[in-house]
């Protein structure tokens, strides 16, 4: 029995979580396969307060390929000088469950080309779909404390 391919399966739009408990919300994938979204990482190589960060990517046409490949870039500049690129493929199991198998490269800014040897980390992440109750609003609710508005000081 092969995967049960439903019409909108492996369309990346929606809310996803990986094994680190990082969340990403992908907005609508357009006709050219391009998409944007937000990423809220659960971990950081910096000592800075994590902030929700924008992502941009492209995926192959889900109408032509049941288990399409994709890639996206996350720009962490709100709290880090690094950039991550992810590449991956969406798989559908025999129960219809979607899984994104990805590999990533995380490039950190270094002072000179001679320090390039220590500038790149590599790894894998597996994402599964989370039920998306309110499209586009989920990551705002999960935002870390440093994304919250600064409370107005009250007179003592
Ligand atoms: C940084 O620490 O400089 C920025 C955040 C990097 C988070 C990485 S990206 C690859 C891995 N997967 C995640 O979900 N988070 C980490």
């Amino acid at each position: 029995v092969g995967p049960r391919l439903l019409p909108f399966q492996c369309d990346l739009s929606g809310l996803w979580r990986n094994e680190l408990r990082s969340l990403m919300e992908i907005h609508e994938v357009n006709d050219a396969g391009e998409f944007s979204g937000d990423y809220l990482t659960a971990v950081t190589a910096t000592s800075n307060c994590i902030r929700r960060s924008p992502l941009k990517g492209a995926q192959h046409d889900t109408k032509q390929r049941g288990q399409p490949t994709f890639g996206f870039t996350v720009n962490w500049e709100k709290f880090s000088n690094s950039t991550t690129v992810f590449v991956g493929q969406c798989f559908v199991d025999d129960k219809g469950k979607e899984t994104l198998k990805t590999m990533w490269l995380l490039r950190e800014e270094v002072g000179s080309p001679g320090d390039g040897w220590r500038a790149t980390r590599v790894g894998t992440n597996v994402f599964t779909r989370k039920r998306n109750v309110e499209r586009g609003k989920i990551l705002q609710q999960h935002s870390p404390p440093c994304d919250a508005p600064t409370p107005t000081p009250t007179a003592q």
Side-chain angles (χ1 to χ4, degrees):
V1 186
R4 194 160 50 94
L5 299 175
L6 297 171
F8 298 113
Q9 281 195 305
C10 282
D11 173 326
L12 291 187
S13 60
L15 184 65
W16 300 86
R17 185 172 64 192
N18 71 20
E19 76 282 12
L20 299 168
R21 302 189 76 77
S22 296
L23 288 167
M24 69 170 172
E25 186 163 28
I26 295 181
H27 308 144
E28 198 188 350
V29 180
N30 72 17
D31 290 343
E34 298 152 351
F35 57 85
S36 63
D38 293 299
Y39 201 107
L40 181 55
T41 179
V43 296
T44 175
T46 71
S47 53
N48 300 334
C49 183
I50 292 169
R51 289 176 180 274
R52 196 159 20 108
S53 302
L55 67 85
K56 262 187 192 302
Q59 91 167 131
H60 277 232
D61 190 351
T62 50
K63 292 183 208 81
Q64 289 187 30
R65 312 228 151 267
Q67 305 194 118
T69 61
F70 59 84
F72 61 88
T73 302
V74 190
N75 180 343
W76 306 110
E77 72 186 352
K78 288 186 179 150
F79 69 96
S80 164
N81 53 23
S82 303
T83 300
T84 301
V85 290
F86 286 83
V87 284
Q89 183 171 355
C90 178
F91 291 97
V92 185
D93 73 10
D94 53 8
K95 294 194 180 81
K97 186 183 171 192
E98 299 153 296
T99 304
L100 308 181
K101 300 273 195 184
T102 69
M103 280 202 80
W104 52 262
L105 292 171
L106 171 64
R107 173 71 190 207
E108 157 190 351
E109 185 185 306
V110 289
S112 65
D115 290 330
W117 62 270
R118 61 177 178 86
T120 308
R121 292 177 173 83
V122 62
T124 58
N125 278 143
V126 179
F127 293 83
T128 49
R129 198 184 277 282
K130 282 203 72 190
R131 203 162 60 91
N132 199 351
V133 225
E134 249 188 298
R135 259 169 191 259
K137 301 236 170 95
I138 302 294
L139 276 201
Q140 276 157 19
Q141 291 159 17
H142 284 85
S143 289
C146 62
D147 266 354
T150 319
T152 326
T154 47
Q156 294 289 323

